[in-house]
Amino acid sequence: MKKYIVRILALSTLFVGCLFSSCSDDYMEDLNTDPSKAPSIDPNAQLTTAQLQTYGDLGEVEIYRNYHYGFTQQLMGCWNTTNYGGHHTIDNNEMCRIWTSFYPNAVKNLVDGIYRTSEDASKNNINAALRIYRVYMMSLITDVYGDCPYSEAGLGFLDEKYNPRYDTQEEIYSDFFVELKAAASQLSSAGDRLTGDIIFGGDINKWKKLANSLRMRYAMRISNVAPDKARIEFEDALNSDGGIMTSAGDDALIKYMDIAFSFGQESYSDYRGNAMSQLWFGNDPANNPSYICSTFFNQLKDTNDPRCYQVCRFYYDGLMSATKPDGRIDLTDEILSKGIKMEPCDPGTYSWDNWPAGYKSDILSEMAANNPSIDPNMAREVRPKLASAFLKGDCPGVVMTYAEVSFLLAEATLNGWVTNDNAESYYKKGVRAAMDFLSDNYDTEKVSTEEFENYMAANPFGYTTEQKRVNINTQAWIHHFTNPNECWANLRRSGFPRLKSPEAYGQGAYLTGGVEIPVRLCYPVLESSYNKQGYDEALDRMGGSNSWNIPLWWDVN
């Protein structure tokens, strides 16, 4: 299997290089010209490319570090996260990254592959997989911006749709359900092999489960704005042929390679490694690692969550390698044993704000005797950072997990959509699966049964429906740390956990884009010129303003 994945990655890298070299630098020409400049492209290679780009595109994932993690208050402290997401700074070049990365590359490849296989019965499976993944990629776009080109997206060369219509988000979601159901029913174990699939290795049954599980995700997404439609779609997905994810073995994870990190120009076109991990590692790892936000850290610490010090660690990074998370000096156990005050960064603050007093480290003092470059009194070491286990090129790219499905089932039970079990049972399965997800995929220590039961006993499910919803979606928020787009989407949809604006932490003077935490990102400014009609129609539906404080269609909380 490993050799199979490496071969796919190598072939796809060649394909990506050819694709990029053939594309014009002009954004709209990228949208509206032939993605291959060749008579035909293997649709399996197009699937591979789209899968890899999801988390492998260094330019695209910048939007997560800059905005998403600031809005969800899971990271805070490094310049990028605090300056953009923490200070609500409007920057068109940063906000448009998902739009300008996915449309001319992943979406164009998927649409082209679907178009060229739609009339070929010998390629039914790859056609279905491309359709499923297109829905997923489009959900990433619409859940960030709202109304957007969907039905006509990627059809510039194929159908001369040079100025694609902005579909309403209601229309987009309605078609998601149609497409996923049709694509799942089209998949057959007797059909063509998926040779370019680096998520499931071509397993048709797992693709069916993914399609049905995504339908559940999207049904829950619209549950507050279209509850009757949501219930129908959720129940239908739950009972559809092929089933849903029932174990961690069904997790939809993109497999990447453990390559050395660099921030040269070539890094932006090399999708083989997990670029999200690369950004967590930092452009200057000794001075710009990923600091954990106090909101996230305190939630874990105050509830004695056994994941707390698996995700959050305290490091001296002065000796860390420039390309891999080697050479970090872990001070966590020392800080815990000494009872040192921990000082995570509050929303809207930089790591150097309110400089902590710190403490004198015995570990660093011993090392300093032989290395004068080490300062045993480094103050920043009392700020928690993301653990090294997450800073590796081969960390998975998360599309969807069994843990998420369990949380969806728990909330659906509260809604009365599921009656064959109780919500608490699904909730506990979700928390257990979320804890196991870390040890299964990031080499963290496995949470024991005793630790799990103690945690659940100390943090009960709740008595009221409201308390239960809070707990379900707070656990989803924790679990979705490695899935930032879904994390922000579910946070807005559910309203939980309740987050306070950085203004409440004394950062009001820095919030240039408004005090309230933004609920969408603005359309690229160039859309007002390149696709004026569609852009203007979308703005009219939003009251005439391209504001990031205007909620999406499904966001009524």
Side-chain angles (χ1 to χ4, degrees), residues 285-414:
N287 297 305
N288 189 27
S290 294
Y291 288 94
I292 304 295
C293 183
S294 61
T295 310
F296 191 62
F297 180 73
N298 291 337
Q299 169 66 34
L300 297 174
K301 179 175 176 291
D302 294 347
T303 59
N304 290 316
D305 193 314
R307 293 166 290 189
C308 183
Y309 300 111
Q310 296 178 350
V311 177
C312 315
R313 306 291 292 181
F314 298 84
Y315 295 104
Y316 173 74
D317 285 329
L319 304 179
M320 186 157 67
S321 162
T323 58
K324 288 189 176 185
D326 299 330
R328 304 184 94 182
I329 310 303
D330 193 331
L331 305 176
T332 309
D333 291 341
E334 180 180 73
I335 287 175
L336 287 170
S337 65
K338 287 177 174 286
I340 303 299
K341 181 182 178 182
M342 302 170 185
E343 301 185 47
C345 296
D346 285 334
T349 64
Y350 293 104
S351 63
W352 54 84
D353 287 337
N354 303 316
W355 198 267
Y359 79 106
K360 184 173 182 179
S361 166
D362 296 337
I363 295 173
L364 295 181
S365 295
E366 181 178 5
M367 295 180 65
N370 298 313
N371 190 338
S373 68
I374 296 177
D375 182 357
N377 298 294
M378 284 294 290
R380 283 183 296 176
E381 307 323 312
V382 296
R383 298 213 191 278
K385 303 171 184 175
L386 186 59
S388 295
F390 298 85
L391 312 185
K392 300 177 182 179
D394 61 353
C395 286
V398 183
V399 175
M400 194 169 192
T401 65
Y402 162 64
E404 179 190 345
V405 169
S406 297
F407 293 135
L408 291 172
L409 287 167
E411 190 164 4
T413 304
L414 291 183

Side-chain angles (χ1 to χ4, degrees), residues 1 269 391 487 517:
M1 181 64 178
S269 58
L391 312 185
C487 187
I517 300 173

Side-chain angles (χ1 to χ4, degrees), residues 306-307 309-313 387-390 392 434-447:
R307 293 166 290 189
Y309 300 111
Q310 296 178 350
V311 177
C312 315
R313 306 291 292 181
S388 295
F390 298 85
K392 300 177 182 179
M435 291 181 175
D436 290 342
F437 176 79
L438 297 181
S439 55
D440 289 345
N441 295 286
Y442 299 94
D443 297 325
T444 61
E445 184 176 348
K446 187 174 180 62
V447 175

Side-chain angles (χ1 to χ4, degrees), residues 53-72 74-75 80-81 84-85 94 97-98 102 136-137 139-141 144 274-277 279-280 398 481-488 521:
Q53 189 187 3
T54 311
Y55 287 93
D57 185 338
L58 185 59
E60 179 271 321
V61 297
E62 278 271 15
I63 203 170
Y64 300 141
R65 180 176 68 169
N66 293 351
Y67 284 114
H68 286 54
Y69 281 110
F71 296 160
T72 60
Q74 293 171 316
L75 298 180
N80 302 73
T81 308
Y84 294 111
E94 297 302 324
R97 288 180 179 273
I98 286 179
F102 284 163
Y136 168 68
M137 294 298 285
S139 76
L140 302 182
I141 296 173
V144 169
N274 188 324
M276 191 69 257
S277 293
L279 286 181
W280 284 336
V398 183
F481 178 85
T482 54
N483 191 353
N485 218 65
E486 183 57 28
C487 187
W488 188 33
L521 292 182

Side-chain angles (χ1 to χ4, degrees), residues 32-259:
N32 301 320
T33 57
D34 185 354
S36 66
K37 302 293 177 65
S40 64
I41 303 174
D42 182 355
N44 279 279
Q46 291 176 298
L47 176 63
T48 309
T49 303
Q51 289 177 340
L52 285 174
Q53 189 187 3
T54 311
Y55 287 93
D57 185 338
L58 185 59
E60 179 271 321
V61 297
E62 278 271 15
I63 203 170
Y64 300 141
R65 180 176 68 169
N66 293 351
Y67 284 114
H68 286 54
Y69 281 110
F71 296 160
T72 60
Q73 296 184 6
Q74 293 171 316
L75 298 180
M76 195 67 62
C78 84
W79 186 88
N80 302 73
T81 308
T82 300
N83 178 69
Y84 294 111
H87 285 172
H88 300 176
T89 301
I90 295 175
D91 187 308
N92 182 68
N93 290 331
E94 297 302 324
M95 286 190 292
C96 71
R97 288 180 179 273
I98 286 179
W99 189 289
T100 57
S101 293
F102 284 163
Y103 271 126
N105 296 306
V107 172
K108 186 168 66 175
N109 268 296
L110 292 167
V111 171
D112 181 79
I114 293 167
Y115 184 90
R116 298 180 187 281
T117 57
S118 60
E119 302 296 328
D120 189 344
S122 69
K123 295 181 179 179
N124 273 349
N125 282 342
I126 185 59
N127 177 267
L130 290 166
R131 291 168 68 185
I132 293 167
Y133 210 74
R134 170 181 169 270
V135 167
Y136 168 68
M137 294 298 285
M138 285 303 310
S139 76
L140 302 182
I141 296 173
T142 189
D143 286 346
V144 169
Y145 302 101
D147 296 359
C148 62
Y150 173 70
S151 59
E152 297 178 351
L155 293 175
F157 174 79
L158 298 172
D159 203 21
E160 297 185 351
K161 299 291 186 182
Y162 301 120
N163 296 293
R165 173 181 180 266
Y166 278 56
D167 298 272
T168 68
Q169 194 168 59
E170 183 175 7
E171 291 170 332
I172 293 170
Y173 264 80
S174 180
D175 193 67
F176 282 174
F177 299 121
V178 173
E179 274 290 282
L180 289 172
K181 184 173 184 177
S185 64
Q186 183 175 306
L187 290 164
S188 170
S189 58
D192 52 301
R193 291 180 59 240
L194 302 181
T195 59
D197 172 25
I198 56 172
I199 294 179
F200 296 127
D203 190 319
I204 297 301
N205 293 325
K206 291 183 179 180
W207 274 98
K208 283 179 175 282
K209 290 183 178 183
L210 173 61
N212 293 331
S213 299
L214 284 173
R215 288 172 64 195
M216 292 168 57
R217 172 192 283 180
Y218 303 141
M220 188 61 71
R221 188 86 85 241
I222 68 171
S223 59
N224 295 324
V225 69
D228 293 337
K229 171 75 169 175
R231 177 172 188 160
I232 291 170
E233 294 295 345
F234 194 98
E235 292 176 344
D236 190 64
L238 186 60
N239 297 304
S240 287
D241 177 57
I244 60 174
M245 294 179 174
T246 56
S247 72
D250 296 326
D251 287 355
L253 307 176
I254 305 164
K255 300 172 180 64
Y256 288 100
M257 296 176 67
D258 188 13
I259 59 177

